[in-house]
Amino acid sequence: MEYLEDNLGRDTIRTDVPAETAPRKDDPNDKLIGVLLEGRYLIERKLGQGGFGAVYLASDQKMISRKVVVKVLRDDETQNEWSARKFKHEIEALTRINHPNIVGVFDSGVTENGQPYIVMQYVNGIPLRALITPEGMQFQQAAKIIGQMGRALSAAHECGILHRDLKPENVMLENLIGDDEQVKIIDFGVARVKDSLVSSGSTKDLAVGTVAY
């Protein structure tokens, strides 16, 4: 149950404000801030810290400084077989799925000190959690969100991917033109990947997810 405790305690990754005004979570001892990965992705600031990884805002220097999100496996987790395997599964899951309601993946690699990372789409929006109030939501809005989530999960399941940690914090609502909203499901960090090409799956899996969900 150790992972469940870590998962419950992790920070929510907020991308609900423009990158230029997003609150900084920079650690002066964080050696990745200011690093240029593969001569392309400039790490600007930390967005959140998870049970076995950290997420950063970065700019893609080869795409006119397009904002991207870089998820990096924590240095002390690189030798943990389970954590390393799940990180590879997340990369595989995101590369298998091509759906407008699931966050896109652009690239992956390894830092100079051996930490695997994933480069993903930056979602300019708010987490679903921010819209849930004691009074509830408008039926029409809720139905639209649930419909998009259902289509995204169906696409993932058809690709042999089970998210296993679906909750309001992992559902982003991207701001579109005309006040429209598009669901983006994020964080496939504990996903199960059927017939994985990057892992034999021989390592015993652990209980994962968030207890309340």
Side-chain angles (χ1 to χ4, degrees):
M1 299 297 288
E2 182 179 353
Y3 180 75
L4 283 172
E5 294 172 0
D6 283 344
N7 208 25
L8 282 170
R10 65 186 180 183
D11 290 346
T12 299
I13 298 167
R14 296 296 301 274
T15 58
D16 53 324
V17 292
E20 293 76 11
T21 58
R24 301 181 69 88
K25 291 189 177 182
D26 295 354
D27 180 347
N29 298 317
D30 194 323
K31 297 179 180 179
L32 283 176
I33 302 297
V35 169
L36 186 64
L37 297 175
E38 301 293 338
R40 179 169 185 174
Y41 306 107
L42 179 62
I43 304 295
E44 296 182 354
R45 63 179 71 117
K46 182 181 284 186
L47 295 175
Q49 179 75 44
F52 56 90
V55 179
Y56 298 87
L57 177 69
S59 57
D60 185 346
Q61 302 300 294
K62 292 187 178 181
M63 293 295 289
I64 318 179
S65 296
R66 173 182 62 177
K67 298 300 179 185
V68 295
V69 169
V70 178
K71 184 173 184 178
V72 184
L73 184 63
R74 210 169 62 195
D75 187 44
D76 59 348
E77 290 288 341
T78 56
Q79 301 304 314
N80 182 312
E81 184 179 0
W82 188 87
S83 298
R85 179 164 63 94
K86 297 315 296 180
F87 200 84
K88 290 179 180 179
H89 277 173
E90 181 168 14
I91 297 173
E92 184 176 16
L94 290 174
T95 54
R96 277 195 194 185
I97 308 168
N98 181 17
H99 193 275
N101 297 124
I102 293 178
V103 67
V105 60
F106 299 137
D107 202 356
S108 66
V110 180
T111 67
E112 289 186 355
N113 66 340
Q115 293 172 262
Y117 66 84
I118 316 171
V119 182
M120 296 175 286
Q121 174 186 12
Y122 172 77
V123 180
N124 182 20
I126 62 173
L128 177 58
R129 170 64 67 194
L131 293 184
I132 300 177
T133 66
E135 294 75 26
M137 298 173 60
Q138 292 291 330
F139 177 81
Q140 187 174 10
Q141 183 183 27
K144 185 176 181 180
I145 291 172
I146 291 172
Q148 292 185 59
M149 290 173 59
R151 289 190 290 274
L153 292 174
S154 292
H157 294 170
E158 288 176 3
C159 294
I161 308 298
L162 301 180
H163 189 284
R164 300 203 297 175
D165 195 22
L166 190 65
K167 57 186 177 182
E169 289 80 3
N170 287 339
V171 178
M172 296 294 297
L173 301 177
E174 185 177 21
N175 300 322
L176 301 178
I177 297 175
D179 295 327
D180 202 3
E181 297 170 330
Q182 183 175 43
V183 164
K184 291 285 186 180
I185 295 179
I186 64 172
D187 198 350
F188 282 73
V190 294
R192 182 184 295 277
V193 180
K194 182 180 180 181
D195 300 326
S196 173
L197 299 177
V198 299
S199 172
S200 64
S202 58
T203 303
K204 184 178 179 180
D205 213 344
L206 303 177
V208 296
T210 303
V211 172
Y213 296 92

